[in-house]
Amino acid sequence: MALIERFQKTTDIGYWQGQIPLNYIYTVGRAGEKFFREIINGKIFGAKCEACNITYVPAKIFCEKCFARLEDKYLDVGTKGKVYTFTQCYETYEGIRKEKPSIVTVIQIDGTQGFLVHWLGEIDFEKVSIGMPVEAVFKAKKDREGSILDIKYFKPIK
Amino acid sequence: MSKRVAIIGIGTTGFRATTPDVSYRELTYEAAMKAYLDAGVEPKDIGSFVATSEDFLEGYSISDEYSPDQLGAVLRPIYTVPGDFIHSLASAYMMILSGVGPISVAQGLSKASNMLTLSEMVTFGMDPIYNRPLKESPHAVAGLEMARFLYETGTTREQCAKVVVKNRKNALNNPYAGHGVLVNPDYVLNSEVISYPLTQMDISPHSDGAVVVVLAEEEAAKALCDKPIWIRGIGWCSDTPGLETRNWAEAIYAQMAAEMAYKMAGIRYPRKEIDFAEINDEFSYKELQHLEAMRVCKKGEAGPLTEIGGTEITGEFPVNTSGGCLGVGNLYELNGGHKVFEVVQQLRGEAGKNQLKNVTTGLAQSWRGIPTTTGTVVILSN
Ligand SMILES: [Zn+2]
């Protein structure tokens, strides 16, 4: 096919469809180990940098501002926070329309500078507002497996 | 300051939603051929090449290895930057400053239409342990950020809709743009909600295309080119990427990248000293958020400025005369490339129906898209 020629029919255009399976295991790391062992206990753990006066959630082993090690600075930050921002999402991660939209929120955990991204439940979307106090609702203890999904969702504090 | 460096050649394929008759290599070849012709150079004259690519989008686990041939860079100094096109431009600029050769090239490409699972690919950019288990659309990240931006600044959804109307209209008069259309703000506001307050029309549709830019050091630039476009300042910056620690209130990455470029260019009052800008608008609100982050507008003033037409082609500070990502299309790693291309065209007086009058300095800014917090800025003068 020379440069001056052009395809006349879309069905004549050649292509090859290729896919390949790529599977991973992601280790949670030392701070993740602490965070997810404690989530099984119904607790949320952060890490505090005293020098910067910043509490990170989830826990991390270093302060990203001053680069100090925070491995012995883990602390229970409680399970309450405030809605920092929120959205009602109508699309799955595959880009397909959901049957029922979900409320996704960024929760700032009280007394910290850290956020968790999670669902908001037990409320209508129209009633959600920025600054609204919320708390984590955990799965039944026997169903927890050390995952961010051990938190079912956050719910408004009445 | 050290040596002056100018853009002496630009080439593009133009940008379309699909490009079924060419391969990704042929896209780059066409853009490279045009850029070299525009600059009056041949590959052998070029000291080094910097390509831009992102493995998952290209569909190769080492897509950088597939960069040389279509650029005329086989057995020549070349490497690939997995960032925005303007990162590659910065590298090509540094090649000249560091004496690798007086002429260098930056390339970028999008063949997004090849990617059958684009949404999953973007999701794969999120944290696997804290975010991906929720299996939410990556557009939720944009919805979350847009909601906070509206709350922080008092910007309205209507003002965001005006960005869409303006940019898609500008694209109608840009022959390279793939998504020009005339719509009214109500159409944008009433289009399908994807992640409230973000609607389908607030999201830039993807496009394919390639851009190649030739740079030269002052002496070579003056010898080869009648209208060299000088690089006055360039900057890049990344915030912490995690959704758990990032700054949700402001585009601080854009602010820091712009300040770096302003400092290099000796610019103190961007609104006065820059005539127009191409701003990353992958989502409508991003244009406003970025304008405020870069001190073109004060916090909360980009929406009102847009509402009164201040960012139109006829306005006081034209933004995205090309049509932006909303009108040209989302080109992913190439987004900065089409922005640089448009700024060069405007400064040369070759922007056709969208040509601005008496412009001497323009700014191109980009962002690497959700879920990133990486921004790039370049300031150009004729
Ligand atoms: Zn610190």
Side-chain angles (χ1 to χ4, degrees):
Chain A
M1 179 141 188
L3 267 176
I4 52 166
E5 292 172 27
R6 287 287 181 263
F7 285 107
Q8 298 288 297
K9 281 192 287 188
T10 310
T11 47
D12 289 343
I13 295 169
Y15 64 87
W16 176 261
Q17 189 168 341
Q19 64 275 108
I20 199 158
L22 295 164
N23 302 301
Y24 299 81
I25 282 173
Y26 298 97
T27 53
V28 298
R30 299 163 77 102
E33 202 67 44
K34 179 68 181 169
F35 182 81
F36 288 112
R37 282 178 195 218
E38 292 293 348
I39 216 167
I40 292 174
N41 299 325
K43 290 180 176 169
I44 297 172
F45 261 67
K48 183 166 188 180
C49 176
E50 300 284 354
C52 299
N53 199 23
I54 294 174
T55 302
Y56 294 97
V57 182
K60 341 176 23 143
I61 67 161
F62 58 90
C63 171
E64 60 184 45
K65 304 281 184 212
C66 74
F67 228 50
R69 251 188 120 80
L70 303 180
E71 232 175 326
D72 52 349
K73 311 285 185 194
Y74 298 148
L75 73 166
D76 182 344
V77 293
T79 60
K80 296 187 169 116
K82 305 215 169 32
V83 172
Y84 193 79
T85 182
F86 64 99
T87 185
Q88 188 173 39
C89 188
Y90 287 79
E91 198 182 71
T92 68
Y93 75 101
E94 299 128 308
I96 299 165
R97 195 83 183 158
K98 286 177 182 172
E99 282 183 21
K100 196 167 156 272
S102 54
I103 305 174
V104 182
T105 53
V106 174
I107 311 287
Q108 185 160 31
I109 301 299
D110 286 347
T112 80
Q113 285 68 41
F115 302 111
L116 286 180
V117 178
H118 224 295
W119 296 296
L120 195 61
E122 302 183 28
I123 186 170
D124 292 332
F125 179 68
E126 291 67 32
K127 300 213 169 107
V128 185
S129 61
I130 286 177
M132 172 180 268
V134 294
E135 66 182 334
V137 177
F138 288 82
K139 283 181 179 168
K141 183 134 195 199
K142 64 174 172 49
D143 298 330
R144 294 179 204 156
E145 51 189 7
S147 145
I148 196 70
L149 300 178
D150 289 355
I151 297 173
K152 282 203 304 197
Y153 49 78
F154 281 76
K155 69 168 187 184
I157 300 173
K158 294 202 174 73
Chain B
M1 191 56 219
S2 45
K3 290 181 223 176
R4 292 174 80 207
V5 173
I7 293 176
I8 62 161
I10 53 172
T12 187
T13 54
F15 312 101
R16 292 290 178 266
T18 59
T19 47
D21 59 332
V22 282
S23 72
Y24 77 94
R25 292 182 174 208
E26 291 163 350
L27 281 172
T28 288
Y29 175 66
E30 183 183 332
M33 219 172 44
K34 288 178 177 169
Y36 301 163
L37 190 67
D38 186 41
V41 297
E42 288 180 43
K44 66 172 172 52
D45 305 323
I46 296 162
S48 84
F49 301 79
V50 183
T52 320
S53 77
E54 200 285 314
D55 286 356
F56 283 93
L57 200 55
E58 315 303 343
Y60 291 77
S61 58
I62 39 165
S63 59
D64 48 304
E65 282 299 309
Y66 295 83
S67 300
D69 19 342
Q70 55 271 26
L71 265 178
V74 171
L75 295 176
R76 305 298 309 286
I78 179 170
Y79 63 65
T80 298
V81 173
D84 181 72
F85 175 91
I86 295 172
H87 285 122
S88 295
L89 190 74
S91 284
Y93 179 36
M94 288 186 266
M95 292 292 175
I96 292 174
L97 296 185
S98 55
V100 175
I103 299 173
S104 65
V105 157
Q107 172 267 6
L109 163 83
S110 167
K111 187 75 164 158
S113 68
N114 267 1
M115 185 55 175
L116 297 179
T117 49
L118 259 179
S119 185
E120 284 97 327
M121 193 272 296
V122 181
T123 307
F124 206 53
M126 313 248 277
D127 184 276
I129 298 163
Y130 295 99
N131 305 141
R132 273 191 240 157
L134 270 67
K135 295 193 173 173
E136 286 292 344
S137 163
H139 285 138
V141 177
L144 287 165
E145 192 184 53
M146 181 176 179
R148 185 72 199 189
F149 173 69
L150 300 186
Y151 173 84
E152 287 275 334
T153 59
T155 306
T156 63
R157 285 185 62 215
E158 287 73 14
Q159 290 163 346
C160 295
K162 285 278 285 189
V163 172
V164 181
V165 173
K166 166 180 72 75
N167 291 358
R168 295 199 66 166
K169 182 184 69 188
N170 288 351
L172 276 177
N173 283 329
N174 175 3
Y176 296 122
H179 297 278
V181 69
L182 278 182
V183 286
N184 60 39
D186 281 343
Y187 186 87
V188 178
L189 292 166
N190 295 326
S191 70
E192 195 168 60
V193 177
I194 301 298
S195 196
Y196 190 87
L198 192 75
T199 69
Q200 186 68 59
M201 289 290 291
D202 287 307
I203 302 171
S204 55
H206 67 72
S207 273
D208 295 350
V211 171
V212 171
V213 167
V214 182
L215 304 178
E217 156 287 305
E218 184 159 13
E219 203 178 315
K222 284 179 173 163
L224 284 164
C225 184
D226 295 334
K227 296 181 198 167
I229 304 299
W230 303 98
I231 296 183
R232 299 226 356 241
I234 194 159
W236 60 95
C237 185
S238 296
D239 192 3
T240 176
L243 303 184
E244 289 72 24
T245 42
R246 67 170 54 180
N247 185 332
W248 282 92
E250 304 173 272
I252 205 135
Y253 58 87
Q255 180 194 324
M256 307 282 279
E259 294 302 339
M260 180 176 166
Y262 294 156
K263 191 176 170 197
M264 195 183 293
I267 285 175
R268 292 174 65 192
Y269 305 102
R271 176 81 161 261
K272 280 191 196 145
E273 295 172 62
I274 295 167
D275 300 313
F276 67 101
E278 286 284 308
I279 302 290
N280 187 293
D281 57 328
E282 278 178 60
F283 304 100
S284 59
Y285 73 92
K286 288 304 267 187
E287 177 171 314
L288 306 175
Q289 185 200 38
H290 287 148
L291 283 171
E292 292 176 8
M294 300 192 334
R295 284 198 289 123
V296 173
C297 297
K298 292 199 178 102
K299 199 166 166 176
E301 289 183 0
L305 181 70
T306 304
E307 209 161 26
I308 60 165
T311 56
E312 299 269 359
I313 287 169
T314 51
E316 169 219 331
F317 191 90
V319 176
N320 287 329
T321 53
S322 68
C325 303
L326 288 159
V328 169
N330 183 357
L331 300 161
Y332 295 83
E333 273 56 40
L334 180 62
N335 277 327
H338 97 72
K339 300 208 174 286
V340 168
F341 189 91
E342 174 72 8
V343 172
V344 171
Q345 279 204 311
Q346 288 286 359
L347 292 172
R348 283 178 172 184
E350 295 172 357
K353 286 185 180 168
N354 287 350
Q355 181 62 49
L356 301 167
K357 289 188 185 74
N358 307 318
V359 284
T360 57
T361 300
L363 179 150
Q365 180 260 347
S366 199
W367 164 61
R368 280 196 79 202
I370 45 173
T372 82
T373 47
T374 288
T376 56
V377 171
V378 60
I379 298 162
L380 301 169
S381 285
N382 57 16

